[in-house]
Amino acid sequence: MIGQTISHYKIVEKLGEGGMGVVYKAQDTKLDRLVALKFLSRQVSSSEEYKARFYREARAAAALSHPNICSIIDIQEFRGEEFLVMEFINGRSLRSRIEEGPMPVSDAVKFARQIAEGLEAAHSKGVIHRDIKPENIIVTDTGVTKIADFGLAALLNAMETHESGRVAGTTAYMSPEQIRGDQVNDLTDIWSLGVTLYEMIAGHRPFTGEYEQAVAYSILNEKPPPVTASHIIIPGELEKIIDRCLEKKPTDRFSDAASLAKELRQVEIVLENPQTASLKSIAVLPFADISPEKDNEYFSEGLTEEIIANLSRLRMLRVVSRTSVMQYDRADKTMKQIAGDLAVHFILEGSVRKHGSELRITTQLVDALQDTTLWSETYRGTLEDIFDIQETVASKIAKALKVRLTPGEKKTLKRHPTVNTEAYQSYLKGRFFWNKRNKASLGTAIRYFEESIAKDPNYALAWAGLADAYFLLSEYGHVTRRDTYPRSKSAIEKALELDDQLAEAHASLASLMMLDEWDWTNAGKQFERAIDLKPNYATAHHWYAEWLLYMGREEEAIREITQAALLDPLSAAILKDMGIILYYTRRYDTAIEEGKKSLELDPGFASAHRLLSLAYGGKGMYVEAIAENQKWGEAGGDHTEVMLGLAQLLAVSGKRGEAMTIVEKMPQEQIASGKVYRGLALVYAALADHDSAFHWLEKAYEIRADSLCSLNVDPKLETIRSDPRFTDMLKKIGLK
């Protein structure tokens, strides 16, 4: 075969041979690129049944497009034999990497996460691999994993099962349900990936035996030795992930590949920062409100939030954020399942009964992995005792988890933010409505924060709450930032004047300095101060990631936004902004995956459709981009911005006339308000009309539009980036 030309493919060399046939490296003479040709065995070609199934499986696999899946380009026939034309990958099999010995844990986690993301894409299309093993994983020369033989593994298994009468596949990587011959679903791939991950780290498989039947017996009946039995030190979170993948009962494993990929991504962050690898992790579940009155939900939520806030100031403890635990649905789930979903080891739960000023609070700290209760207590008192109770709970958790407190942390836990219990209750009501994130609730929140301040003018947290409410009003209330930022900044400055230790106030001040003042240096310092004061404050990590992106520190930005997602795993907004950062760094496929995950958490989240539109546009998939742009509008996106987004996509896809029609019909009052300046610049940039693009960028600069912060990283401005006026604009904004 070497040297022959088949169709327009010239065969260069033989790459390998296996159960499905022979693989050759070939030159595509039409498109001048290298491809891989996989000639299937005559067994497939000689059977009409297998041939029909082959085409069916191959078509399903060919529909998969993902950076971690080896793409199928074409199906052809030569001298009665079918062959596949596939993406050629410069690299080697994962098997060859494993044969060199146990690999660095960080590499194993990265490879497993990429495989999980590839499986996620396949499973979403209804395609199950059924034979995930190191031989079917290719690692490129740049360290990217590619899953091979999608669909073909299923075909081979069917053929072998039919002919031998026994379950086909590679026994050591088969799930219990596969071995039993039961019907399988996507959870069988999760099992096989768990076996592969175990082998990457330990250097040997979890289930062994001298012959196949012994291996099968072990898989069905025995618990594998811990991966750490090989004297390998790994984060506890990673050991838990492997154990969960290898649960005998499919429903005890990860519910899907997306959940597995998310937890592996979080472990990557831990491994990048060795200091966090030893951190204990905890989730404080919402305290149940068992009060006789029906209007105390704000108090039980507030108590949960305050305990989280106290614990979040402890450096040696990782605490899941308030937003994730409040929206987590724990219905009918065991503690172990809850811990797996939230990626924690320990869980605090409890209840609160408030009747007038009388309180009864119960708490229980659980080691979810061991399914044991570490301690449980009931506290009785009045509203005047609430801060002492919160301090006691936080201190006892630290003691139970053997977290050593610094003198500063002990002092912080003892601080009482106010002595006025009425001001405290008004503050809790303000936060309750602030967390609802809509225009009406933000207005109510402002009223309660102002009420709290009236009762105690020195209550720094109430001033911080007021600042946060005005800050969000511009995003959720369709109020211009010019109207809200001065009020927000005034409240922030008052909060910091009263208490310079408020991480929330420092983060809000940093964001204002970044978006409104373009004071990049001091904004960075304020973000670092916020994280230093409260290492578990997800919002500070979230906004700091944006600052790092604007500064051109792309890899640091990705690490920081991933840290935010680790602390707030159920935040659709953080996942969306992770996707935005990936989009700005031209990682369009991964950005699309984050957009889809964001919509899984919140199907009505309009901004996620905007992200998908941007990422599809970046890939040149304009039909999909326009469809997502329309969904953005239908889900509640700003109509003017939606129309400008459409105009930009039409312009970049060559439909100049349609794009200009939208621009020419833009309401003059919208243009006069300054809201659309940057959007118009993007349309003209797509049309390569430099003069018009810079005209509107200058107009945006005159009103200090915060949208200019992303100027240096926005792919949509690529056409005008080489113009000297672009560099001048960056200098004026302070980005160069």
Side-chain angles (χ1 to χ4, degrees), residues 67 95 106 132 136 333 386 406 414 450 474 503 571 602 616 636 643 645 658 672:
R95 167 62 62 209
S106 58
I132 291 293
N136 285 335
K333 292 186 178 179
I386 186 64
T406 66
K414 291 183 179 295
E450 289 176 338
S474 61
S571 169
D602 183 357
Y616 281 127
M643 293 309 297
E658 294 178 52

Side-chain angles (χ1 to χ4, degrees), residues 73-137:
I73 299 168
D74 196 6
I75 309 171
Q76 293 199 23
E77 185 177 322
F78 175 69
R79 294 178 181 172
E81 292 184 32
E82 273 67 29
F83 69 92
L84 289 173
V85 183
M86 303 185 301
E87 168 189 9
F88 175 74
I89 303 168
N90 273 313
R92 55 180 176 149
S93 72
L94 184 59
R95 167 62 62 209
S96 68
R97 286 289 303 268
I98 291 174
E99 286 175 348
E100 295 174 355
M103 64 181 63
V105 175
S106 58
D107 284 353
V109 172
K110 180 181 74 170
F111 293 158
R113 188 258 302 163
Q114 292 176 355
I115 297 167
E117 289 176 348
L119 289 175
E120 177 189 355
H123 294 166
S124 70
K125 301 288 187 181
V127 181
I128 305 168
H129 193 285
R130 295 180 177 86
D131 197 19
I132 291 293
K133 58 184 179 181
E135 287 79 1
N136 285 335
I137 308 296

Side-chain angles (χ1 to χ4, degrees), residues 690-691 694-695 698 720 722-730:
H690 289 210
D691 291 341
F694 282 106
H695 166 75
E698 286 291 345
I720 63 172
S722 59
D723 193 303
R725 288 172 289 183
F726 191 84
T727 302
D728 292 340
M729 178 64 70
L730 291 178

Side-chain angles (χ1 to χ4, degrees), residues 347 445 715:
I347 293 173

Side-chain angles (χ1 to χ4, degrees), residues 547-565:
W547 181 89
L548 288 166
L549 175 72
Y550 301 151
M551 294 293 98
R553 294 158 62 176
E554 296 177 355
E555 297 305 317
E556 292 176 77
I558 292 172
R559 286 198 295 270
E560 204 66 30
I561 194 69
T562 309
Q563 177 69 12

Side-chain angles (χ1 to χ4, degrees), residues 143-154:
V144 176
T145 60
K146 298 266 190 178
I147 308 172
D149 283 353
F150 257 109
L152 302 185

